[in-house]
Amino acid sequence: MKQPSMSEQELAELTELLELAKLTEQKAKELCDLTLEIDQKYEKRLAQLKVAEKLKVAGIP
């Protein structure tokens, strides 16, 4: 049984969907990178605060 071929319109729609999927994937990667960067800055700041608190408790200015 032969599959019916796609019309020009269907091919155009699938091509557009593929481009949108690629763009969405790229934006998701960018968001992931940004989230990781924010998390690393947060962890660094948290570590700094913990050290500062320990120095304060130890009486070191």
Side-chain angles (χ1 to χ4, degrees):
M1 186 170 179
K2 186 177 176 186
Q3 291 284 340
S5 58
M6 283 191 269
S7 69
E8 293 279 331
Q9 178 69 25
E10 290 172 321
L11 184 58
E13 289 173 357
L14 286 175
T15 302
E16 185 178 350
L17 282 174
L18 178 60
E19 289 303 314
L20 285 172
K22 288 178 182 179
L23 180 62
T24 301
E25 181 182 20
Q26 179 60 36
K27 293 295 182 182
K29 287 179 181 178
E30 290 172 11
L31 181 58
C32 181
D33 291 343
L34 177 62
T35 302
L36 182 59
E37 183 181 331
I38 291 169
D39 185 56
Q40 289 170 342
K41 287 181 181 180
Y42 169 79
E43 291 295 330
K44 180 180 177 182
R45 182 67 180 135
L46 186 60
Q48 290 172 338
L49 290 172
K50 286 179 180 180
V51 168
E53 183 62 28
K54 286 181 181 181
L55 291 175
K56 183 179 174 184
V57 169
I60 303 171

